[in-house]
Amino acid sequence: MGEACSRLSEEERQVIRIEIGNGTSIRRIGLMLGRNASTVGREIKRDTWFPSNENESCRPYRPKRLKTGPWTGGYYIAGPAQRKAGRRRAKPRKRYRLSCERLWARVAEWLRRGWSPLPVSGGPRVLFPDDSAMRVCPETVCRWIHADRHRRERRARCLPRGHGRRRRRGGRRTSRFPIPGRVPIPERPPEAGDRSGFGHWEADGVIGAGCNPHTEVERKTRFLMAGIVPGKTAGESVGAQLDMFSPLPAGARVGVTHDNGTGFARHTRLRDGPGMDTCFADPYSGRRRGSNENRNGMIRRHPPKRSEIRMDMAGELREIVDEADNRPMRVLGYRTHAEAFADELLELQDQQGCCTSK
């Protein structure tokens, strides 16, 4: 009599009233109406009335165990049930989070600036700590963007990946060519795996037409460093790494995790030079180097795939890196990556000063 996704009609409620009087089971009533048995059961439980005294004046009652039929002394009347359903629908419901104009103005502004949903959700908590209306979770922002086609076309590019649809996590497994001296990621130090130790990095190359940006991300603070490599050879890649890590103190360059590309075949130079530990993630397991993949996605949004990258674009790359390092992040207490990295360097200097004084 009605579609399963629509509300019960008055005619369906009349059928429920008649069949209850005949002693028909709830499951059979559901089959007759083309409805789920739970829908019929909730309707009966919600709108069954029981006499409260000898005059049979009725009061609403919701029994813990549903018992309906002529033997219970309860009454299900279609007309009052229909009117109660109309009154329930007319009552105002809880406001949808993004219906708050002030909140949405902030969310839209930060999305246009390229912030990911996590900082977008954390920003109002810091700016409006006492305003409960200025609260939104990251999942609400993502679902709101992907819920409508026109909205998705306008706003999906503001997400970290800019994908038109949400993708399933995970990847496939396959074998790759052997890398000399390769150390698998399970042998990485525990403090690098759980991000409790400072100075452990993730490395990758962003392939482009012409030159290639090379990125390094510190795992604990998610601080990003990047440089442009003129070619794709292993020697040029490790040379860029040495240039990035040389200015840092020894405690800030403990180890680095690579992917399985040929650009890192000469990783042993990092062991021999700065004395860094090197290891490699499993093939096609970018989630094991999630911070680096995340930052690469930010860089991709400015010079997208197959766009030409030249050596004279170092200034533009520096602006992209600065913008990424100055975003607040929830896991850092809504500090920026640059602030967290600077705090770690200061703490490292204090520790070295204490050791020197002793």
Side-chain angles (χ1 to χ4, degrees):
M1 290 189 177
E3 296 181 3
C5 61
S6 63
R7 301 183 178 93
L8 287 170
S9 65
E10 187 171 1
E11 291 79 8
E12 289 174 311
R13 289 186 168 93
Q14 291 286 357
V15 173
I16 293 174
R17 180 186 65 82
I18 295 171
E19 296 301 326
I20 286 177
N22 295 334
T24 308
S25 68
I26 292 175
R27 190 172 297 278
R28 183 169 293 276
I29 295 175
L31 291 175
M32 295 172 59
L33 299 176
R35 298 281 187 172
N36 192 288
S38 298
T39 301
V40 179
R42 284 194 299 267
E43 171 64 20
I44 297 172
K45 187 174 182 179
R46 187 166 45 227
D47 294 322
T48 296
W49 289 65
F50 288 80
S52 60
N53 51 39
E54 295 179 356
N55 297 326
E56 293 193 356
S57 60
C58 296
R59 61 181 176 84
Y61 176 67
R62 297 177 181 177
K64 293 183 178 179
R65 182 177 180 183
L66 181 61
K67 295 180 180 179
T68 58
W71 61 88
T72 63
Y75 299 90
Y76 177 86
I77 307 174
Q82 180 72 20
R83 290 191 291 273
K84 285 176 62 179
R87 288 195 297 269
R88 285 194 297 266
R89 287 197 299 269
K91 289 182 180 179
R93 297 188 178 184
K94 186 177 180 181
R95 283 177 63 93
Y96 183 58
R97 280 296 182 185
L98 292 182
S99 63
C100 177
E101 295 183 359
R102 293 188 300 117
L103 175 61
W104 170 237
R106 292 281 184 174
V107 171
E109 176 188 354
W110 288 328
L111 285 175
R112 284 193 296 268
R113 292 172 58 182
W115 287 24
S116 64
L118 275 176
V120 168
S121 68
R125 297 177 183 272
V126 176
L127 297 177
F128 308 97
D130 301 325
D131 191 349
S132 60
M134 299 293 287
R135 297 290 184 272
V136 64
C137 71
E139 184 65 19
T140 299
V141 177
C142 292
R143 289 186 178 183
W144 182 85
I145 291 174
H146 288 281
D148 181 76
R149 181 174 64 85
H150 299 290
R151 191 184 302 142
R152 184 169 60 247
E153 292 174 354
R154 291 168 45 217
R155 301 294 184 187
R157 63 178 182 273
C158 301
L159 297 176
R161 294 293 177 273
H163 292 162
R165 63 179 181 178
R166 307 190 77 174
R167 300 185 179 184
R168 182 177 298 177
R169 297 179 63 182
R172 57 193 176 97
R173 301 290 185 271
T174 185
S175 61
R176 292 291 301 271
F177 57 88
I179 295 178
R182 181 183 184 277
V183 177
I185 198 169
E187 299 182 18
R188 185 171 61 179
E191 60 272 15
D194 60 13
R195 300 178 186 268
S196 61
F198 176 63
H200 298 275
W201 298 77
E202 298 174 2
D204 197 7
V206 183
I207 304 300
C211 303
N212 302 318
H214 178 89
T215 58
E216 298 282 347
V217 179
E218 204 280 319
R219 284 183 56 81
K220 184 176 182 179
T221 63
R222 284 77 168 177
F223 181 75
L224 170 65
M225 298 191 302
I228 297 180
V229 182
K232 301 178 176 63
T233 66
E236 291 171 325
S237 296
V238 74
Q241 289 183 285
L242 292 171
D243 293 340
M244 292 182 187
F245 291 133
S246 296
L248 299 178
R253 44 178 172 82
V254 179
V256 59
T257 302
H258 304 95
D259 66 4
N260 291 272
T262 58
F264 302 112
R266 297 189 179 182
H267 63 96
T268 53
R269 289 179 58 185
L270 295 175
R271 301 179 186 174
D272 300 336
M276 300 178 65
D277 297 329
T278 61
C279 65
F280 290 80
D282 298 329
Y284 296 101
S285 298
R287 62 188 181 279
R288 304 297 296 271
R289 303 168 30 263
S291 297
N292 190 274
E293 296 291 347
N294 181 280
R295 297 300 176 269
N296 289 350
M298 293 182 182
I299 294 177
R300 288 282 194 196
R301 293 167 60 185
H302 298 276
K305 287 185 178 180
R306 292 177 293 277
S307 61
E308 183 182 2
I309 300 176
R310 305 180 305 274
M311 292 297 296
D312 57 2
M313 297 175 64
E316 299 178 21
L317 181 62
R318 181 72 257 170
E319 293 179 1
I320 297 172
V321 172
D322 290 342
E323 196 274 335
D325 283 337
N326 286 280
R327 293 183 183 181
M329 199 169 186
R330 183 177 63 176
V331 298
L332 302 176
Y334 293 105
R335 294 179 298 167
T336 65
H337 311 289
E339 292 171 347
F341 189 77
D343 293 343
E344 292 290 339
L345 287 179
L346 289 175
E347 183 177 352
L348 185 62
Q349 292 176 0
D350 293 340
Q351 294 175 355
Q352 293 176 350
C354 292
C355 295
T356 304
S357 61
K358 291 181 181 179

Short mmCIF file of all heavy atoms in Angstrom, two decimals, residues 1 7-20 33 43 46-47 76-86 88-89:
data_model
loop_
_atom_site.label_atom_id
_atom_site.label_comp_id
_atom_site.label_asym_id
_atom_site.label_seq_id
_atom_site.Cartn_x
_atom_site.Cartn_y
_atom_site.Cartn_z
N MET A 1 0.81 -1.21 0.00
CA MET A 1 0.00 0.00 0.00
C MET A 1 0.84 1.26 0.00
O MET A 1 0.37 2.32 -0.33
CB MET A 1 -0.93 0.02 1.22
CG MET A 1 -2.05 -1.00 1.15
SD MET A 1 -3.21 -0.74 2.47
CE MET A 1 -4.39 -2.01 2.06
N ARG A 7 6.25 7.27 4.88
CA ARG A 7 5.57 7.15 6.17
C ARG A 7 4.28 6.34 6.02
O ARG A 7 3.72 6.25 4.94
CB ARG A 7 5.26 8.54 6.73
CG ARG A 7 6.48 9.42 6.94
CD ARG A 7 6.07 10.75 7.55
NE ARG A 7 7.22 11.60 7.80
CZ ARG A 7 7.68 12.51 6.95
NH1 ARG A 7 7.07 12.68 5.78
NH2 ARG A 7 8.72 13.25 7.26
N LEU A 8 3.85 5.79 7.13
CA LEU A 8 2.60 5.05 7.12
C LEU A 8 1.44 6.00 6.81
O LEU A 8 1.36 7.10 7.35
CB LEU A 8 2.38 4.38 8.47
CG LEU A 8 3.25 3.15 8.78
CD1 LEU A 8 3.09 2.76 10.25
CD2 LEU A 8 2.92 2.00 7.88
N SER A 9 0.52 5.54 5.98
CA SER A 9 -0.67 6.34 5.65
C SER A 9 -1.82 5.97 6.57
O SER A 9 -1.77 4.98 7.31
CB SER A 9 -1.06 6.11 4.19
OG SER A 9 -1.46 4.77 4.00
N GLU A 10 -2.90 6.77 6.51
CA GLU A 10 -4.07 6.49 7.33
C GLU A 10 -4.72 5.17 6.92
O GLU A 10 -5.23 4.42 7.77
CB GLU A 10 -5.07 7.63 7.24
CG GLU A 10 -6.24 7.48 8.21
CD GLU A 10 -7.11 8.72 8.25
OE1 GLU A 10 -6.80 9.69 7.51
OE2 GLU A 10 -8.09 8.72 9.01
N GLU A 11 -4.72 4.85 5.61
CA GLU A 11 -5.30 3.58 5.15
C GLU A 11 -4.51 2.40 5.73
O GLU A 11 -5.10 1.38 6.13
CB GLU A 11 -5.29 3.52 3.62
CG GLU A 11 -6.26 4.48 2.95
CD GLU A 11 -5.71 5.91 2.91
OE1 GLU A 11 -4.51 6.08 3.27
OE2 GLU A 11 -6.45 6.83 2.55
N GLU A 12 -3.18 2.52 5.78
CA GLU A 12 -2.38 1.44 6.35
C GLU A 12 -2.65 1.29 7.84
O GLU A 12 -2.68 0.17 8.37
CB GLU A 12 -0.89 1.71 6.10
CG GLU A 12 -0.48 1.55 4.64
CD GLU A 12 0.96 1.96 4.41
OE1 GLU A 12 1.36 3.05 4.86
OE2 GLU A 12 1.70 1.20 3.77
N ARG A 13 -2.85 2.39 8.52
CA ARG A 13 -3.17 2.32 9.94
C ARG A 13 -4.55 1.67 10.16
O ARG A 13 -4.77 1.00 11.17
CB ARG A 13 -3.10 3.71 10.57
CG ARG A 13 -1.68 4.24 10.69
CD ARG A 13 -1.63 5.56 11.46
NE ARG A 13 -0.26 5.91 11.82
CZ ARG A 13 0.54 6.68 11.08
NH1 ARG A 13 0.10 7.17 9.91
NH2 ARG A 13 1.77 6.94 11.48
N GLN A 14 -5.47 1.92 9.25
CA GLN A 14 -6.76 1.25 9.35
C GLN A 14 -6.61 -0.27 9.21
O GLN A 14 -7.24 -1.04 9.94
CB GLN A 14 -7.71 1.78 8.26
CG GLN A 14 -8.15 3.22 8.43
CD GLN A 14 -9.18 3.40 9.55
OE1 GLN A 14 -9.61 2.43 10.18
NE2 GLN A 14 -9.55 4.65 9.80
N VAL A 15 -5.76 -0.69 8.28
CA VAL A 15 -5.51 -2.13 8.11
C VAL A 15 -4.88 -2.70 9.38
O VAL A 15 -5.25 -3.81 9.82
CB VAL A 15 -4.62 -2.37 6.88
CG1 VAL A 15 -4.21 -3.84 6.79
CG2 VAL A 15 -5.34 -1.95 5.61
N ILE A 16 -3.93 -1.97 9.96
CA ILE A 16 -3.30 -2.44 11.19
C ILE A 16 -4.34 -2.61 12.29
O ILE A 16 -4.35 -3.61 13.03
CB ILE A 16 -2.19 -1.46 11.63
CG1 ILE A 16 -1.03 -1.49 10.62
CG2 ILE A 16 -1.67 -1.81 13.02
CD1 ILE A 16 0.05 -0.46 10.90
N ARG A 17 -5.27 -1.65 12.41
CA ARG A 17 -6.31 -1.73 13.45
C ARG A 17 -7.19 -2.96 13.25
O ARG A 17 -7.49 -3.69 14.22
CB ARG A 17 -7.17 -0.46 13.41
CG ARG A 17 -8.29 -0.43 14.45
CD ARG A 17 -9.17 0.77 14.26
NE ARG A 17 -9.88 0.70 12.99
CZ ARG A 17 -11.00 0.01 12.79
NH1 ARG A 17 -11.53 -0.70 13.79
NH2 ARG A 17 -11.59 0.00 11.61
N ILE A 18 -7.60 -3.20 11.99
CA ILE A 18 -8.49 -4.34 11.72
C ILE A 18 -7.77 -5.65 11.99
O ILE A 18 -8.32 -6.57 12.62
CB ILE A 18 -8.99 -4.27 10.27
CG1 ILE A 18 -9.88 -3.03 10.07
CG2 ILE A 18 -9.77 -5.53 9.90
CD1 ILE A 18 -10.24 -2.76 8.63
N GLU A 19 -6.53 -5.78 11.53
CA GLU A 19 -5.82 -7.04 11.67
C GLU A 19 -5.43 -7.32 13.12
O GLU A 19 -5.36 -8.47 13.54
CB GLU A 19 -4.57 -7.04 10.78
CG GLU A 19 -4.88 -6.97 9.30
CD GLU A 19 -5.73 -8.14 8.85
OE1 GLU A 19 -5.58 -9.25 9.40
OE2 GLU A 19 -6.55 -7.94 7.93
N ILE A 20 -5.19 -6.26 13.90
CA ILE A 20 -4.93 -6.48 15.33
C ILE A 20 -6.16 -7.07 15.99
O ILE A 20 -6.09 -7.99 16.81
CB ILE A 20 -4.53 -5.15 16.01
CG1 ILE A 20 -3.10 -4.78 15.62
CG2 ILE A 20 -4.62 -5.28 17.53
CD1 ILE A 20 -2.65 -3.47 16.18
N LEU A 33 1.16 -5.29 4.17
CA LEU A 33 1.37 -3.88 3.83
C LEU A 33 2.61 -3.64 2.99
O LEU A 33 2.81 -2.53 2.49
CB LEU A 33 1.46 -3.04 5.11
CG LEU A 33 0.23 -3.04 6.03
CD1 LEU A 33 0.52 -2.25 7.28
CD2 LEU A 33 -0.97 -2.45 5.30
N GLU A 43 5.00 1.07 15.35
CA GLU A 43 3.76 1.83 15.24
C GLU A 43 2.74 1.37 16.28
O GLU A 43 2.10 2.20 16.94
CB GLU A 43 3.19 1.68 13.82
CG GLU A 43 1.80 2.25 13.63
CD GLU A 43 1.73 3.75 13.80
OE1 GLU A 43 2.78 4.42 13.70
OE2 GLU A 43 0.62 4.26 14.03
N ARG A 46 3.91 2.34 19.80
CA ARG A 46 3.87 3.78 20.02
C ARG A 46 2.45 4.28 20.24
O ARG A 46 2.23 5.23 21.00
CB ARG A 46 4.51 4.47 18.81
CG ARG A 46 4.70 5.97 18.95
CD ARG A 46 5.63 6.48 17.87
NE ARG A 46 5.30 5.91 16.57
CZ ARG A 46 6.18 5.39 15.72
NH1 ARG A 46 7.44 5.32 16.05
NH2 ARG A 46 5.79 4.90 14.55
N ASP A 47 1.46 3.68 19.59
CA ASP A 47 0.11 4.26 19.56
C ASP A 47 -0.96 3.32 20.11
O ASP A 47 -2.15 3.51 19.83
CB ASP A 47 -0.25 4.64 18.12
CG ASP A 47 0.63 5.76 17.61
OD1 ASP A 47 0.94 6.67 18.39
OD2 ASP A 47 1.03 5.71 16.43
N TYR A 76 -5.86 -0.03 19.56
CA TYR A 76 -5.13 0.73 18.54
C TYR A 76 -6.19 1.35 17.61
O TYR A 76 -6.94 0.63 16.95
CB TYR A 76 -4.19 -0.15 17.73
CG TYR A 76 -3.46 0.59 16.62
CD1 TYR A 76 -2.28 1.27 16.87
CD2 TYR A 76 -3.99 0.64 15.33
CE1 TYR A 76 -1.64 1.97 15.87
CE2 TYR A 76 -3.36 1.33 14.33
CZ TYR A 76 -2.18 1.99 14.60
OH TYR A 76 -1.54 2.69 13.60
N ILE A 77 -6.27 2.69 17.57
CA ILE A 77 -7.27 3.41 16.79
C ILE A 77 -6.55 4.20 15.71
O ILE A 77 -5.65 4.99 16.02
CB ILE A 77 -8.11 4.34 17.68
CG1 ILE A 77 -8.69 3.53 18.87
CG2 ILE A 77 -9.24 4.98 16.89
CD1 ILE A 77 -9.42 4.38 19.88
N ALA A 78 -6.93 3.99 14.47
CA ALA A 78 -6.18 4.56 13.36
C ALA A 78 -6.24 6.09 13.33
O ALA A 78 -5.23 6.75 13.06
CB ALA A 78 -6.70 3.99 12.03
N GLY A 79 -7.41 6.66 13.57
CA GLY A 79 -7.54 8.12 13.49
C GLY A 79 -6.64 8.87 14.45
O GLY A 79 -5.84 9.72 14.05
N PRO A 80 -6.75 8.59 15.77
CA PRO A 80 -5.84 9.26 16.71
C PRO A 80 -4.37 8.99 16.42
O PRO A 80 -3.51 9.87 16.59
CB PRO A 80 -6.26 8.66 18.06
CG PRO A 80 -7.68 8.27 17.87
CD PRO A 80 -7.78 7.80 16.45
N ALA A 81 -4.05 7.76 15.96
CA ALA A 81 -2.66 7.46 15.64
C ALA A 81 -2.16 8.33 14.49
O ALA A 81 -1.02 8.82 14.51
CB ALA A 81 -2.52 5.98 15.28
N GLN A 82 -3.01 8.56 13.48
CA GLN A 82 -2.62 9.41 12.36
C GLN A 82 -2.41 10.85 12.81
O GLN A 82 -1.47 11.52 12.39
CB GLN A 82 -3.71 9.34 11.27
CG GLN A 82 -3.42 10.18 10.04
CD GLN A 82 -2.31 9.59 9.18
OE1 GLN A 82 -2.01 8.41 9.30
NE2 GLN A 82 -1.70 10.42 8.36
N ARG A 83 -3.31 11.34 13.69
CA ARG A 83 -3.17 12.73 14.16
C ARG A 83 -1.92 12.89 15.03
O ARG A 83 -1.23 13.91 14.95
CB ARG A 83 -4.42 13.13 14.94
CG ARG A 83 -5.66 13.29 14.06
CD ARG A 83 -6.79 13.94 14.82
NE ARG A 83 -7.33 13.06 15.86
CZ ARG A 83 -8.29 12.17 15.65
NH1 ARG A 83 -8.81 12.04 14.43
NH2 ARG A 83 -8.74 11.43 16.64
N LYS A 84 -1.60 11.89 15.85
CA LYS A 84 -0.38 11.96 16.66
C LYS A 84 0.86 11.97 15.78
O LYS A 84 1.82 12.69 16.06
CB LYS A 84 -0.34 10.78 17.62
CG LYS A 84 -1.29 10.88 18.80
CD LYS A 84 -1.26 9.64 19.64
CE LYS A 84 0.10 9.39 20.23
NZ LYS A 84 0.13 8.18 21.08
N ALA A 85 0.82 11.17 14.71
CA ALA A 85 1.97 11.17 13.80
C ALA A 85 2.15 12.53 13.14
O ALA A 85 3.29 13.00 12.97
CB ALA A 85 1.78 10.09 12.74
N GLY A 86 1.05 13.17 12.77
CA GLY A 86 1.15 14.51 12.19
C GLY A 86 1.72 15.52 13.17
O GLY A 86 2.51 16.38 12.79
N ARG A 88 3.75 14.85 15.65
CA ARG A 88 5.18 14.56 15.83
C ARG A 88 6.01 15.13 14.68
O ARG A 88 7.10 15.65 14.90
CB ARG A 88 5.40 13.05 15.95
CG ARG A 88 4.99 12.46 17.27
CD ARG A 88 5.54 11.05 17.44
NE ARG A 88 5.01 10.14 16.45
CZ ARG A 88 3.94 9.37 16.62
NH1 ARG A 88 3.27 9.43 17.77
NH2 ARG A 88 3.53 8.55 15.67
N ARG A 89 5.50 15.01 13.47
CA ARG A 89 6.25 15.55 12.32
C ARG A 89 6.32 17.06 12.35
O ARG A 89 7.27 17.66 11.84
CB ARG A 89 5.61 15.09 11.01
CG ARG A 89 5.83 13.64 10.70
CD ARG A 89 5.55 13.34 9.24
NE ARG A 89 4.16 13.63 8.89
CZ ARG A 89 3.18 12.74 8.97
NH1 ARG A 89 3.44 11.52 9.40
NH2 ARG A 89 1.96 13.06 8.61
#
